[in-house]
Amino acid sequence: MSDGPADGGRPRQRMRADAQRSIDTLLTAAAEVFATSGVDAPVRQITARAGVGAGTLYRHFPQRSDLIAAVFRHEVDACADAAASLVAQHEAVDALARWLQRFAAFIATKRGLSAALHSGDPAYDSLPSYFQQRFVPVLGALLDTAAKAGQIRSDIDPEDLLRAVGNLTLPAQEDDNGHTQRMIALLVDGLRYGTHGSV
Amino acid sequence: MSDGPADGGRPRQRMRADAQRSIDTLLTAAAEVFATSGVDAPVRQITARAGVGAGTLYRHFPQRSDLIAAVFRHEVDACADAAASLVAQHEAVDALARWLQRFAAFIATKRGLSAALHSGDPAYDSLPSYFQQRFVPVLGALLDTAAKAGQIRSDIDPEDLLRAVGNLTLPAQEDDNGHTQRMIALLVDGLRYGTHGSV
DNA sequence: TTGCTAACCGGAACAGCGTTCCGTATCGTC
DNA sequence: GACGATACGGAACGCTGTTCCGGTTAGCAA
């Protein structure tokens, strides 16, 4: 996906290089600021970090919700795309485990977002389905590959596992000392149960 | 309860009459403004309606949450106290029905509040229990009286009924044309069921 | 009743916010 | 290289919450 402005579709005509640069910089800066100061952080904090004027931000994201939604989609994409390189570099079940950790880290940054999600702003309406559309196939493929390799059982619904990991992550505090990671590892071990040697 | 300032206790020494007047005016004005513009309404709108300077508001309610909590308590009190006069003027089951309608009207004005409630501000921590402490005995007494008069059954838990009416009211839109009221009436009829003649 | 003082009031003033506007700079093309 | 369209930056505007302080008033004592 091409992280374009908030018109919701593909660019109707090629975007100028500096504009695309601005958008990328803003998206990155906003993600960092949202992570540290929450989604209610001042606009100027984002523009300052991006080294960009306020006008530039409003040109590309007329509404605050546009920026938030774009950052969300951007991070969803980054997380989903991470699966490919993990698969290339690790064994099937290992790639699965690592991706779930990555996914948990993603969820952990979304604490302040749930309030915005339920604010009724229509700009957010498409976000949950985007989340599903992007992650379910990715996780589904990871599960499939590992199952076909005989490394995990094959009766796991990706949607269920997605929700389970999400729930596992939500209540965690910031300083949970790897508790969430250990729980996810446990979950993965659960997946292994019932294959080849073990019963 | 004496709607004092936000020190949480009774006035440690008699308050000047003009101060008490200001507090009352502010509480009334704030309630009206919150009802029309939501709890996020500008402070100046409240002070303007109360015919009072900003300094006066901040003197009595240093934090915004203090004002919101005070308005809430004030309205809880008004609603709870309404029961007494209803009992004096109507038959037991009628008083009960009328009070439930009154309670539903109260809940209906609390739409915007739930977000504030869950904001984590400790000023709101005591509100839910205040709600319970104030309403459960009132409704309990109404139920008791009506039950002893043989007008309704006697196996109703006031806490349950409180929650039921609350839930009944929450999803209602502003223009529900008396739908909520009809549902509550139905609930009261349900209470009647199983007494004297009927089965 | 009068006078005194602590308490209170009003609103101007300040700081910080989101948002708009427009002169200037840059890109892509001819 | 020159030109038009596009995008950039940041000053400026209006609105916000909050503070501050000179003037006013309530309550009490003489």
Side-chain angles (χ1 to χ4, degrees):
Chain A
M1 187 167 193
S2 74
D3 285 318
D7 60 9
R10 15 237 146 292
R12 50 196 90 235
Q13 98 184 40
R14 237 178 75 77
M15 171 172 291
R16 255 176 60 169
D18 53 350
Q20 185 62 56
R21 240 194 332 269
S22 290
I23 290 177
D24 291 343
T25 319
L26 276 169
L27 245 25
T28 310
E32 292 168 0
V33 169
F34 287 165
T36 58
S37 307
V39 287
D40 291 327
V43 168
R44 272 178 245 270
Q45 199 173 330
I46 298 171
T47 57
R49 186 174 201 110
V52 141
T56 303
L57 191 157
Y58 281 95
R59 161 175 292 269
H60 298 299
F61 306 100
Q63 313 257 11
R64 185 186 190 78
S65 52
D66 295 331
L67 177 60
I68 295 176
V71 167
F72 181 83
R73 271 191 275 262
H74 190 242
E75 295 190 332
V76 167
D77 289 336
C79 182
D81 293 343
S85 69
L86 288 175
V87 166
Q89 294 172 22
H90 301 92
E91 229 187 340
V93 70
D94 204 22
L96 170 64
R98 284 167 191 264
W99 186 82
L100 286 177
Q101 300 288 358
R102 173 75 172 77
F103 173 74
F106 163 78
I107 295 291
T109 65
K110 296 290 156 292
R111 208 58 37 88
L113 211 69
S114 70
L117 260 294
H118 301 107
S119 68
D121 190 317
Y124 301 128
D125 287 352
S126 65
L127 257 39
S129 73
Y130 188 70
F131 179 96
Q132 291 278 335
Q133 283 171 26
R134 222 50 190 82
F135 284 145
V136 168
V138 166
L139 179 54
L142 286 169
L143 287 170
D144 249 30
T145 309
K148 289 215 176 83
Q151 295 174 331
I152 64 163
R153 54 219 275 196
S154 56
D155 60 344
I156 307 298
D157 178 10
E159 214 164 317
D160 281 351
L161 187 53
L162 223 44
R163 172 168 310 192
V165 174
N167 291 343
L168 219 50
T169 308
L170 272 179
Q173 307 299 331
E174 302 154 12
D175 57 342
D176 71 345
N177 284 322
H179 171 258
T180 303
Q181 290 169 35
R182 286 196 299 279
M183 289 304 101
I184 292 175
L186 194 62
L187 215 57
V188 173
D189 286 345
L191 298 180
R192 288 190 162 106
Y193 190 84
T195 54
H196 50 93
S198 68
V199 172
Chain B
M1 188 165 188
S2 74
D3 285 320
D7 60 10
R10 13 237 145 292
R12 50 196 89 235
Q13 101 185 36
R14 236 179 76 77
M15 172 172 291
R16 257 176 61 168
D18 53 350
Q20 185 61 58
R21 237 191 338 265
S22 290
I23 290 177
D24 291 343
T25 318
L26 275 169
L27 244 26
T28 310
E32 292 168 0
V33 170
F34 286 165
T36 58
S37 306
V39 287
D40 291 328
V43 168
R44 271 178 248 272
Q45 198 173 331
I46 299 171
T47 56
R49 186 174 200 109
V52 141
T56 304
L57 191 157
Y58 280 95
R59 161 176 291 270
H60 299 299
F61 306 100
Q63 314 256 12
R64 185 188 188 78
S65 52
D66 295 330
L67 176 60
I68 295 175
V71 168
F72 182 82
R73 271 191 275 262
H74 189 242
E75 296 191 331
V76 167
D77 289 335
C79 183
D81 294 343
S85 69
L86 287 175
V87 165
Q89 294 172 22
H90 301 92
E91 226 186 342
V93 69
D94 205 21
L96 170 63
R98 285 168 189 263
W99 187 82
L100 285 177
Q101 298 289 359
R102 172 77 171 77
F103 173 74
F106 163 78
I107 294 290
T109 66
K110 297 291 156 291
R111 207 59 36 88
L113 211 69
S114 69
L117 261 294
H118 300 108
S119 68
D121 191 317
Y124 301 128
D125 287 352
S126 65
L127 258 39
S129 73
Y130 188 71
F131 178 95
Q132 289 279 334
Q133 283 171 27
R134 215 62 184 77
F135 284 144
V136 168
V138 167
L139 179 55
L142 287 169
L143 287 170
D144 250 29
T145 309
K148 289 216 175 80
Q151 295 173 331
I152 64 163
R153 51 219 276 198
S154 57
D155 60 344
I156 306 297
D157 178 9
E159 213 162 319
D160 281 351
L161 188 53
L162 223 44
R163 173 167 311 192
V165 174
N167 289 344
L168 219 50
T169 308
L170 272 181
Q173 306 300 332
E174 303 151 12
D175 57 343
D176 72 343
N177 284 321
H179 171 257
T180 302
Q181 290 170 33
R182 287 196 298 278
M183 289 304 99
I184 292 175
L186 194 63
L187 215 58
V188 174
D189 287 344
L191 297 179
R192 288 192 163 104
Y193 191 84
T195 54
H196 51 96
S198 68
V199 172

